[in-house]
Every structure is written in C-alpha cells, then in structure tokens.
Amino acid sequence: MTDPPPLVMAGHTALLLGPLICGLLVYLLPWPRFRDAAPIVLSAGLLVVLWYLSGEMLGTGPVTLALGGHFAPLGIELHVDALALAMLWLTGLVGLAVNVHITASVNLTERFGPEGFRILWLVLWSALNALFVAADLFNIYVLLELSAITAIALVAVSRGPEAVAAATRYLFFALAGSLFFLLGVALVYAKTGLLALRGLESLQWHGPASVFALGLMTLGLAMKAALFPVHAWLPRAHAIAPSAASALLSALVAKAGVYLVIRLWSGPFDGHWPEFLGQSMAVLGAAGIAYGSIQAIRQSRLKLVIAYSTVAQLGYLLLVLPLASVLAWHGVIYHALSHGLAKAALFLAAGNVIFMVGNDRLESLSRGDHRLAGNAMVMALAGVSLAGLPPSGGFIGKWWLINAALESGQWWWALVVGGGGLLTAAYVFRVLRYAMAEPHPDDGRPDLPVKRLPRRMFWPPMLLALGAIALGFAGQWLVPILALGRPGNIAG
Amino acid sequence: MTAVVPLAATAGLLFAIGLYGMIGRTGLIHRLLGANIMASAIFLFLVVLSTRGIEASADPVPQAMVLTGIVISVCITAFALGLIRYLRVMTGEDELRRSTRDADGQSADD
Amino acid sequence: MIPLSPVFDVLLGLGLLWLAWRVVASRGRFTAVVLFMVFGLVMAIAWARLGAPDLALAEAAISAGITGALLLNACKAAYADPGHPQPGGPATPPPSSARRWLVYAICGGLGTALAATMAWLALGRPDVAPELRDAVSGHAVDNPVTVILLDLRGYDTLLEMAVLLMAFLGLRILMGHRDLAGLHPLPEGVPSMADSLVAMATPILLITALYLFWTGTEAPGGAFQAGALLGALGVMYRLTGRIEPLDHTPAALRLGLILGLGVFAGFACLSLIWSDWPLSYPAMATAGVALTIELAMMISIAVTLTLLFSGSAGIRLARAPVQGP
C-alpha cells in the first residue's frame, strides 16, 4: 500500500473534521459575527482543499486511506474515487451556498438561535463528507445514525406541531432503516469476519447469507433515502423544514442513501446478486420516478412539489444497477451532481419566495411583482436542468443514461428516462406557469407588501442553478475525472 | 460453547418481535420499545459472535461495535422521547396519524 | 465463559423472548416500560454469561438503567396528566385483520429466517484475523476492547460522541421552550428514604466510576461504563431535586458537553504533526494520551446523560436546601 502524499490525508482530515470543529467553536463562542463568517470561510477553504485533492487524484488515480494508518482488517479505511469526489464537490458547493444564504435568513437567527441550526448543519456536513468517502461497514452505520439525528433535528427545528410530527415520522423510518442496515452488517461480519469494503471485494463469500445481508442493508438504506415504496416520510419532512435545511436534506442527505446502495451493489456485493434483482431495483426506481412526478404535478404548495420531485429524481440513480456500463456510470455521476445543484437552488429559491411573500402557495407566485421575477428566473434555470432539457447537466446525465440503455439492449430504460423527463417537465412548467401568470385583477385577498430580497439570499441559488446549467457544457472536459476508479462490475 | 446456538437463534426471533412492535403497534412508546428490542437483538448476536470459549480470548471488534451501538441507542431514544413528549403535549396525539390531505400548514420559514 | 449446562442458556433465551413479547404486546405503557427494563437486565445477564462483563455493565447501566429512567419519565410527564389537549380528528380505525395478519406473517417469516441464519452463521464464525490479534496484543493498552475503541476504530468512537452531543442539542431545541408546561415535571415530593439513599449512593457510585475509568486501559471497564455510572448519579440528583433545570446552557456546561468530542477531534488533527495519518497515537505516550481522551469522554458522557434525562437546556445545583424528613 503506497502512502499517498501527506497533504492528501491532511486535506481529507480537514474535510471530515473541519466542519465539526467549526461547529463546536460556534457552539462555544458567543459572537454572532463569528457564527456567520466562520462557516463561509470554512466553505471557501474546503473548496480549495477539494481542488487540490482533485488535482492529486488525476495524477494518482483513486486512493485508499486509513485513519490512524490502520488499514483493514485493523481499522477504518476511506476510499476516494470519481463518484466520491463528485459528491464531495456537490456537498462543498451546496454547503457554501447554504452558509451564505442563512446569514441573511433573519427568521433562522432570531427564532432558532445558534444551537438551533448552525451546529446541527455543521456536524451534518462533516458526516456527509465522511459518508461519501467511507469504506467500512460499521463506520457507515455510525455515520448514518449521526446524519439521521442531525437531519431529523433540522426538520423539527421550527417546533411547530406539523414539523414535530413530520420529524417523528422521519425518525421512525430512519431508525428502522439503521437497524436493518446494522443487522446486515452483523450478518456480513458473522460470515466473513470483515468490515472493510475493500477486503470484502476480494473475498469469495457468495451464498444465500450474503444476498440476505444485501437485502437487509438495501432495505435499510432505501428507508433512509426515501426510495419508493418506503418514501412516505420525505415529502412532508422536506416541505416543512426551513428551506435552507430542505436544500441540504434533498440535495445531499437523501442522495447519500442512494449513493451507499450503489456502492454496496457494485463493490463488495458485486457478483452476489442475480441479474433479475438488478432489474427489480431499477423497476422500483422507475416506479419512484412515476409516483413522485405524478404527485408533484398534483401539489398546490411549492415546497411539496419540490419534495416529491426528490422522490422521483432519486429513482434515476438506481438505473446503474442493471446498466453496468461506463456510460451509465458517468451518467449517474452527472445526474447526481446536477440534481443536487438544481434541487438546492430550487429549495433556496422557494425559501426566498416565502421570505418575500409569506407563504409558498403556488398562486402567490403570480403576484406580478418584479421582485419575484429574479427568483422565478432561478427556478426556471434549475427546472431546465431537472427536466433534462439542453443545455444543462441534467440533460447530459439523462442523455448518457439513455445511450447506455440503448447500447446494452435494455431499451426499456431509455423509455423510462425519457418518460421521466417529460413528467418532470410537466411539473416544472406548471410551477413556471404560475410564476409567469398575470395577477388576477379581482383577487379579493389583501396583498401584503412583497419584501425586498437581500443579495445574500438571491445569489446563492442563482449561482447553483447556473452551475447546474454550466455542467451541461463541461461534459467532455470532465470525462477524465469521471473515469477515475470505476467499480469492478462496470464493463470497460 | 453451548450458549451459541440458542442465543443466536434467540437474537433472530427477538429482532422479529421488536419489528412487530415497530410496525404492528400504533402507540409511539411501544414502537420505540420495539426499536430498542431490535437493537438489543442485534447486539446479542454480535456478543455471541465475539465469544470464543474458555481458552481463547474473545474477539474485541464486535464488543466495541456493541458498546458504540448501546450509546447511540440511548441517544436516539432520548431524542425520540423528546419528540414524542413534545407531540403529546402540543397536540395530545400519541400516534402518528396518516393525514388524508396534504400538509396544509405553513412551511417553517413563515 | 462459565461452563454451565445448556438448559440455562435455553431458559435465558426463552426468558428474553417472553419478556420481549410482553413488552410489544402489552396494553399499558407503564407495564411495557418496566418489562423492558427487566428485559435489559436479563440481557445483561446473558452477556455476562457469554463472557463480556464490561458490556454487561454498560447494558445494565445505560440500556436498562438510563433508558428505563428516560422512558418512565416520559410516560409520567406526557401521559399521566389528563389536562393535555385531546387529539383532534377521528380516531385511527383499528388495523384491519388482513393488515394484522400481514404483519404477523412478515415478522414470523423474517424471525424464522433470521433465527436459522444467525444460528448457522454463529456456529461457523471465522477466527480473528492474525494481524488484528497481533496488533491488539502488542498494544500499549492492555484491554482489547479499549484498543479497538480508542485506537484502531477511534473514528467510530469520535462520531459516537458527536451523536451524544446532537441528541442533547436536538432535545434542547424541543425542550428548551420555557412556556410549555408538562415538559419539566419537577419532583412533587421527595420520599424520606431518598436522602439516605443518595447519601449512600454518591460515594459508592463516584468511587466505582473512577475505578472503572482508571482500570479501563487494563481490565474490563472504561470511559463509557464510568460515564454511565456518573450519569446515573446525575439522574438520581435530578430526581431528588438536588439539581434544578435551567432554560439556558451556561458556558461551563457547554464546555463539559463538548469536551469529549473536542479533545478527540483536536487529537485527531494534532496527530498529523507526528504522523502521516490522523488519529494515530504517538509511540511514546500511547497509554497517557488514551487516558486523557477517556477522561474527557467520561466527563462529557456523564454531563450529557444527566442533561438528556433532565430534558432542559441546562442544570445547576439546587440553591434551596433540600427538605429533610
């Protein structure tokens, strides 16, 4: 095991522990300026670190690190490849946007206090960074619990009865999910004596026990990621959380669950599952796409539309299981990245709407006030990427997935992707129709004045949405990075 | 080593009993107790895995996993009880009702 | 492992199953909680039987003891007072018998499959990897579980301290609201025996906790068990009114809460100075550093568990003298 340059490990330590230590400092020190500024400075610093790490990885290829220098089977390993790097970048960019946005969301600082939001988010950020590079089963379990408890607290942070009910429902799903996952881990350890993913990959331990364990772990992760059909907690929880929290939950936390499913199926359990199981998982993904999109079309509140859209969009990522090809792998990475950016932009924009108008009913979007127009632009750009219209990152992701499906002869998945795109366009355009509509002349409701939106709240979602569009132009340029560290089952 | 088979089988059945508590009962306290029983079942299995008889020393890794798991369990239980108590005091509910209409309440930013 | 007849193990297993079934099937909450505490104690006996005394201690103290106290407290606070608002809307209809049988089928099927699988896997469990065995036996710290917890898999322990802190913060968001009655039930009247009990228990628990902490590097014990005992002491003090709730968290208490996580995370970053890897112990002072981290963790665990039980943002020692008999 060649030792990577020391700065690489230091960089990863910063990613894993930096936000956590910042959170502890924010909790201890009573200065509001520090609480606002420190996370933003940290975000910028971590993006620089990511830039360096990406450059290093282009030279050395995917990297396996170990905490304390104890490689498996002694201790906990980390593994960084293209997918992990993409998710780290997503976390860094969304994190920076959220950190800037919450400095101006007055409601947050006044009503919730520093304990209410910032330290929860900072610890969640550490946990997410760690989840995306985790390569040890029990470590993943502990990280899942940590991210769940912070996410649930973020849903409940406003303390209204609806929020607490949504958080409680989330808690029971997440708790059941963790327990199923831990049971699977215990079964794997009983059979192999190993917890490291790398060790499990090289061991020959096929058998019914491994499929049983995989099923239990997948069920657990599906509950946490709100995959169809165990998704019932997500729409209300993401709709009722503060919009900055919803952005984090939809763009990052839910994605971590699907990320782990893909990791497990294409890593240590590769070759253990029969073909039809892969097709079945993708069928569930397709069902999620259909169900989520149809429900999104029916909603009358903006945040519920966006929340159901999350249920739908996560289904696309499962298509990599039956379509084990390079193009599908790249497509999934691209889709995860652009969906994260677009979804975070949408939720932050929804938060802006609520800030300006006071609620998130779709009719309020047709107020016709020019201040809402900029926000509508953000939603339009993000919606374009979500629906997979060119030019956008979402388009490239879907394009590659469709091509992968056609190349491998499984043309029905191409229909699923295309159909999903149409349904997405349906609910996106429905929202935009409200945003562009003329206000009804005899609307009897007395209009509250539209508040002015601070720049710190407008630009983060705008830049995220522009990022999702910009990904549409960067496809060819990013391929060498995307090609780093394909899992073994992906045919070259 | 005679304890291994009966206690491992017990662990499996305990998990199922706990699962029944979580999905078969509607009262939130009972569901939480069911979850705790599921966790205890997994810990029992891990402790069984760590035993090695009288002569050899035990496998320390599952024992460390159990210790970590116990602390995480009590944390989640404490937080869950806070949510349950809060729900009960604010709304009088002691189960999660399946609401027939979409959440019409305001989002948290209002 | 003590060589006892297999009948004992079967009885233990049946006892656990019967208790668990009574917990999930009983009508009343109080009954269920008390039976759960008994279940926890029997589970501790089972683990002692399996040769894991430090785990048995942790299970009895944390799972049966502190979790039981939390559950009883919640039942009393939230369900005993009939003055709470009544639930609005129609009552949930009892689950249809088709659904009930589905649940029974799922649980029964899963239980059987799991019991068979787990028994079979446990019989054939592989040996400990030789590198692991060598690393554990050659370590400066003697207790193998402590080696795993603090050194080899220290990152998991660090994250676990973070979960402790997050549980408190999550609870603090909910319970720190001073306007909500019913969230801070103060003890109505302290029974007269409580003073003597606390007077006896304090030195015993303190000394046992400190002993367990000190010996944790060589024999079964360690920061978690010690912290749990101190937390139990805090729970007793809170129940007898010697500790009062506050609606804010004083700075000293904040420090105590984050001490374990902060020291561990700080150590993780500092170890990049003397090694290429984070969370690696300096070769010279391994036991000393481990003990320091354990001390910080013990303090944090004790403080956090007491605060989790108290359910308030902060605590302080009671100013008014406690009423004697």
Side-chain angles (χ1 to χ4, degrees), chain A residues 30-285:
Chain A
W31 311 313
R33 287 276 169 79
F34 177 76
R35 281 183 199 135
D36 279 349
I40 299 179
V41 172
L42 181 69
S43 279
L46 288 182
L47 284 175
V48 171
V49 167
L50 267 177
W51 184 264
Y52 168 73
L53 289 175
S54 311
E56 282 291 313
M57 232 180 77
L58 269 176
T60 66
V63 147
T64 301
L65 306 163
L67 291 160
H70 307 294
F71 285 88
L74 298 184
I76 301 173
E77 288 187 340
L78 311 171
H79 184 74
V80 192
D81 63 359
L83 179 59
L85 203 58
M87 301 308 294
L88 287 175
W89 271 103
L90 179 64
T91 312
L93 291 171
V94 171
L96 178 59
V98 165
N99 280 332
V100 173
H101 192 267
I102 61 179
T103 59
S105 305
V106 174
N107 289 343
L108 278 177
T109 38
E110 279 181 1
R111 283 174 59 190
F112 307 147
E115 298 96 5
F117 196 96
R118 282 221 172 74
I119 179 171
L120 289 172
W121 149 231
L122 286 167
V123 173
L124 177 62
W125 186 5
S126 270
L128 286 169
N129 278 343
L131 261 177
F132 291 130
V133 299
D136 178 283
L137 284 176
F138 190 67
N139 192 25
I140 292 177
Y141 166 72
V142 181
L143 286 168
L144 283 174
E145 294 278 38
L146 181 58
S147 56
I149 197 171
T150 46
I152 297 167
L154 282 174
V155 172
V157 79
S158 64
R159 291 198 283 234
E162 293 251 8
V164 174
T168 312
R169 181 174 281 106
Y170 183 7
L171 183 136
F172 276 102
F173 269 91
L175 189 51
S178 316
L179 291 169
F180 276 107
F181 186 81
L182 185 60
L183 181 62
V185 173
L187 290 182
V188 170
Y189 188 78
K191 177 85 177 162
T192 64
L194 292 174
L195 290 172
L197 298 186
R198 190 168 56 101
L200 288 169
E201 276 174 31
S202 45
L203 196 66
Q204 294 294 323
W205 59 291
H206 301 60
S210 75
V211 182
F212 196 7
L214 179 64
L216 289 168
M217 291 203 275
T218 307
L219 177 61
L221 290 170
M223 286 188 190
K224 287 184 168 293
L227 292 173
F228 191 85
V230 282
H231 63 281
W233 60 268
L234 187 141
R236 255 169 292 177
H238 286 202
I240 205 123
S243 299
S246 307
L248 302 168
L249 293 172
S250 265
L252 300 174
V253 177
K255 197 153 289 143
V258 188
Y259 169 86
L260 288 171
V261 170
I262 296 176
R263 270 279 175 242
L264 287 177
W265 282 65
S266 53
F269 288 93
D270 172 35
H272 294 225
W273 41 276
E275 169 77 23
F276 78 90
L277 272 186
Q279 297 279 338
S280 319
M281 287 293 290
V283 166
L284 285 178

Side-chain angles (χ1 to χ4, degrees), chain B residues 42-94:
Chain B
I42 303 176
F43 300 153
L44 176 62
F45 183 54
L46 285 171
V47 175
V48 166
L49 289 180
S50 80
T51 61
R52 285 291 186 276
I54 314 172
E55 324 78 33
S57 54
D59 182 359
V61 175
Q63 296 194 353
M65 286 164 71
V66 169
L67 211 43
T68 306
I70 291 177
V71 174
I72 292 182
S73 226
V74 74
C75 293
I76 304 260
T77 302
F79 184 48
L81 282 172
L83 287 171
I84 294 175
R85 281 170 67 177
Y86 203 82
L87 208 55
R88 174 78 181 166
V89 166
M90 292 201 58
T91 64
E93 302 275 344
D94 63 346

Side-chain angles (χ1 to χ4, degrees), chain C residues 103-118:
Chain C
V103 171
Y104 285 146
I106 293 177
C107 295
L110 185 66
T112 329
L114 275 176
T117 313
M118 284 156 104

Side-chain angles (χ1 to χ4, degrees), chain A residues 375-396:
Chain A
N375 223 32
M377 179 74 165
V378 174
M379 291 199 281
L381 287 174
V384 158
S385 177
L386 216 56
L389 299 169
S392 65
F395 168 71
I396 296 208

Side-chain angles (χ1 to χ4, degrees), chain B residues 1-3 14 16 20 25 30 45 49 51-52 54 57 63 68 71 74 83 85-86 88 92 94-95 97, chain C residues 1 9 20 24 26 29 47 50 67 78 85 92 104 107 111 114 118 125-126 133 145 160 164 174 180 183:
Chain B
M1 293 287 253
T2 58
L14 278 177
Y20 173 73
R25 299 290 306 254
H30 280 102
F45 183 54
L49 289 180
T51 61
R52 285 291 186 276
I54 314 172
S57 54
Q63 296 194 353
T68 306
V71 174
V74 74
L83 287 171
R85 281 170 67 177
Y86 203 82
R88 174 78 181 166
D94 63 346
E95 7 184 284
R97 296 195 184 283
Chain C
M1 248 174 60
D9 301 317
V24 298
S26 71
R29 283 176 210 99
W47 294 358
L50 286 170
T67 309
T92 328
Y104 285 146
C107 295
L114 275 176
M118 284 156 104
R125 59 194 187 279
R133 211 172 259 301
V145 180
E160 170 193 355
L164 258 177
L174 296 170
L180 276 170
L183 288 179

